[in-house]
Amino acid sequence: MASASQSVASQTGVVASASSQVVKTGNALTSAQAAANEVTSANVTSAQTAVASQARAVDQASANQTSASAVVESAQVSVTSASAQVVSQAAQVASAQANLSSAVEQTSQAQAVVSAASTAVDHIQESASGASVTVTAAQANVASAQAAQSQTTSALSSAEKALSAAKSQVVAQEAAVSATQAALTKAQASAAANQIPSSTITLPAGYVAALKGYVKGTVTSDELNKIAAQGLNQFYDFQANAALSKVIVSQNGSTITLTVQEVQNLSLYAQNLINQIRAQFGTRAVLVTQSSLDYVETVVAGYNAAGKAPTWHNEDVLNAADDQYGTMFNENMNIPYVGWFSDEVTLNDLYYDTYQGIVSMLYADAHANWGHAKSLAGDLGNHFYDDAQQYLGGGVTTWGDVLYEVLALNPFVGMWGTPTPSKAFDTTPVKPTVTTAADLTKAQNALTAVTARLTSAKAAVVAA
């Protein structure tokens, strides 16, 4: 718009200059004409000359006017164009002025908004200042709460660890109680199964001399039998064992299978009875070793393999066992009295059968030429056997036959075709592994102790 205004101003100046020239020229013409009217005849020539001169001047002025008119017309055109432009520019100026007014109004409104916003900002800043204090306090509270939460989390973690440890301790103590209870139960069962009854055999007066005389041939079987009969009253002296009576080894005719420990204890019981007899005869005591137990196990397996209860000594089985161990057998077999008990057989029955078998072999053996009695007494009349250390192994077949294998090492191994044994014979006596009352007390005390620890561990879980 500024450029249009400048153009209009420039053209207006040109028009004004041309108009001024026209006015000046017209004035000159009017003056000349007035002078002509005033001219006298005397001055006609001079006037004519002046007129001519003025005419020329007029012509020149007219020409100049014409030229100026043309210029004016041209300028008028320019003025008209410029005026149109002025009108247009004025309209634009008016529009711009309106826009300016609107802008000013908007600026004013914006300024008001800015002012209000500034005021709001001031309020906000004031609020922010207060909020900053609040935020700072809140941040302090948050920090404190976070610290408290951290402490609580730490305490919770510690408590959870303590609870976990307490629970683990409960589990461990429960396992310990279970294990200790199992040990006590085992000890109690062992105390029952591993008890070895205490039985006594006292030979009748004159029996030792009579049997020795029979071996030497100075005493007859009838004479020996009369003296031996006095001992038959011991047949009923066996004292039943309540604990062993609860250990059932067979029911309704089922086969009898003993544990290794039960076989060992039965052998030690027979050893005790036999050595009581030998002590009264002054002969060498028998020993129970691992090899004598293994020997009788081999013999029992041989009898069981036959598939039927034995009615006599199986020499094939015994000779095969002798060849393996390099021994000389002397077997005492007791046909089972346990057959009287059809419903069930207990360990007590087997001990009773062993006791009665040995008593009957001592005092009622005339039918076997007193061979069992001589074997039990350690006086067979064979110095190769009698003078040697003898070993005992007791066993029971699946039908309840009780065997007492009295062995001696064969001095003729490797001679006259006697085979070399495939198994070395262990001569070390076994030791009884009987569970004593002290063992049971120890096991019970252990259970009481671990039970107390379990109670304490459970209390720790509750406290945690």
Side-chain angles (χ1 to χ4, degrees):
M1 180 177 174
S3 176
S5 297
Q6 290 175 357
S7 177
V8 169
S10 176
Q11 293 302 320
T12 301
V14 172
V15 171
S17 177
S19 296
S20 176
Q21 185 65 31
V22 169
V23 171
K24 288 180 180 181
T25 302
N27 292 334
L29 179 56
T30 302
S31 177
Q33 286 177 347
N37 291 332
E38 295 177 358
V39 166
T40 64
S41 297
N43 293 331
V44 169
T45 301
S46 177
Q48 287 177 340
T49 300
V51 167
S53 176
Q54 289 297 321
R56 287 192 297 272
V58 168
D59 290 338
Q60 183 64 44
S62 294
N64 289 340
Q65 182 178 12
T66 301
S67 175
S69 296
V71 171
V72 167
E73 290 177 0
S74 175
Q76 187 64 46
V77 172
S78 296
V79 167
T80 301
S81 175
S83 295
Q85 292 180 6
V86 166
V87 171
S88 175
Q89 291 297 324
Q92 294 181 15
V93 167
S95 176
Q97 186 63 44
N99 291 337
L100 176 60
S101 297
S102 176
V104 169
E105 178 64 24
Q106 291 178 4
T107 299
S108 177
Q109 293 176 355
Q111 186 63 42
V113 172
V114 168
S115 178
S118 178
T119 301
V121 167
D122 290 340
H123 289 313
I124 290 172
Q125 287 177 340
E126 291 176 0
S127 298
S129 178
S132 177
V133 174
T134 303
V135 167
T136 301
Q139 287 175 338
N141 291 336
V142 168
S144 177
Q146 287 176 337
Q149 181 184 24
S150 177
Q151 292 177 352
T152 302
T153 301
S154 178
L156 177 60
S157 177
S158 298
E160 287 176 341
K161 289 180 180 179
L163 178 60
S164 177
K167 287 182 177 179
S168 297
Q169 188 64 20
V170 167
V171 172
Q173 292 305 322
E174 286 177 339
V177 168
S178 295
T180 308
Q181 180 63 64
L184 176 59
T185 301
K186 182 178 180 181
Q188 290 170 336
S190 177
N194 291 345
Q195 290 185 38
I196 300 177
S198 178
S199 301
T200 302
I201 293 180
T202 302
L203 300 176
Y207 179 82
V208 172
L211 183 59
K212 287 183 176 183
Y214 178 80
V215 171
K216 294 177 181 179
T218 58
V219 175
T220 65
S221 178
D222 289 339
E223 291 173 335
L224 175 57
N225 193 43
K226 289 179 182 179
I227 296 174
Q230 299 174 26
L232 288 175
N233 60 341
Q234 297 179 30
F235 194 82
Y236 303 102
D237 288 348
F238 177 78
Q239 298 296 316
N241 185 289
L244 294 175
S245 296
K246 296 178 181 179
V247 182
I248 300 172
V249 296
S250 174
Q251 284 186 311
N252 301 319
S254 63
T255 58
I256 296 175
T257 302
L258 302 183
T259 67
V260 171
Q261 188 63 55
E262 289 167 347
V263 170
Q264 176 176 309
N265 288 347
L266 192 64
S267 297
L268 291 172
Y269 175 70
Q271 176 195 38
N272 180 48
L273 295 178
I274 292 171
N275 285 342
Q276 288 183 46
I277 297 169
R278 292 196 173 196
Q280 296 174 67
F281 269 88
T283 53
R284 199 166 187 175
V286 296
L287 300 178
V288 175
T289 72
Q290 187 57 53
S291 288
S292 66
L293 294 173
D294 293 341
Y295 179 97
V296 77
E297 181 181 2
T298 301
V299 171
V300 167
Y303 277 113
N304 290 341
K308 61 181 181 179
T311 58
W312 195 248
H313 305 289
N314 189 325
E315 294 190 10
D316 291 337
V317 170
L318 294 168
N319 286 329
D322 280 343
D323 289 343
Q324 288 185 54
Y325 291 94
T327 55
M328 300 182 294
F329 76 84
N330 186 257
E331 182 180 70
N332 300 287
M333 177 187 292
N334 185 32
I335 302 300
Y337 290 102
V338 295
W340 298 344
F341 311 101
S342 58
D343 293 338
E344 65 182 23
V345 179
T346 68
L347 275 181
N348 185 75
D349 295 330
L350 296 181
Y351 280 99
Y352 178 50
D353 196 19
T354 299
Y355 176 81
Q356 289 186 330
I358 290 177
V359 169
S360 64
M361 290 178 187
L362 276 176
Y363 306 133
D365 200 40
H367 67 284
N369 296 321
W370 302 95
H372 299 99
K374 292 187 293 181
S375 173
L376 295 174
D379 188 7
L380 291 175
N382 180 340
H383 71 91
F384 289 110
Y385 191 84
D386 293 342
D387 295 344
Q389 176 61 61
Q390 297 174 16
Y391 304 93
L392 174 69
V396 181
T397 68
T398 57
W399 302 276
D401 306 280
V402 181
L403 310 177
Y404 322 107
E405 306 295 345
V406 182
L407 311 170
L409 296 179
N410 191 341
F412 306 111
V413 168
M415 302 171 59
W416 305 305
T418 304
T420 300
S422 59
K423 297 181 179 179
F425 195 93
D426 183 2
T427 60
T428 304
V430 297
K431 296 180 179 180
T433 55
V434 177
T435 302
T436 65
D439 295 328
L440 292 177
T441 300
K442 182 178 179 180
Q444 183 61 58
N445 290 341
L447 178 60
T448 301
V450 296
T451 301
R453 288 196 291 270
L454 174 60
T455 301
S456 176
K458 286 182 176 179
V461 169
V462 174

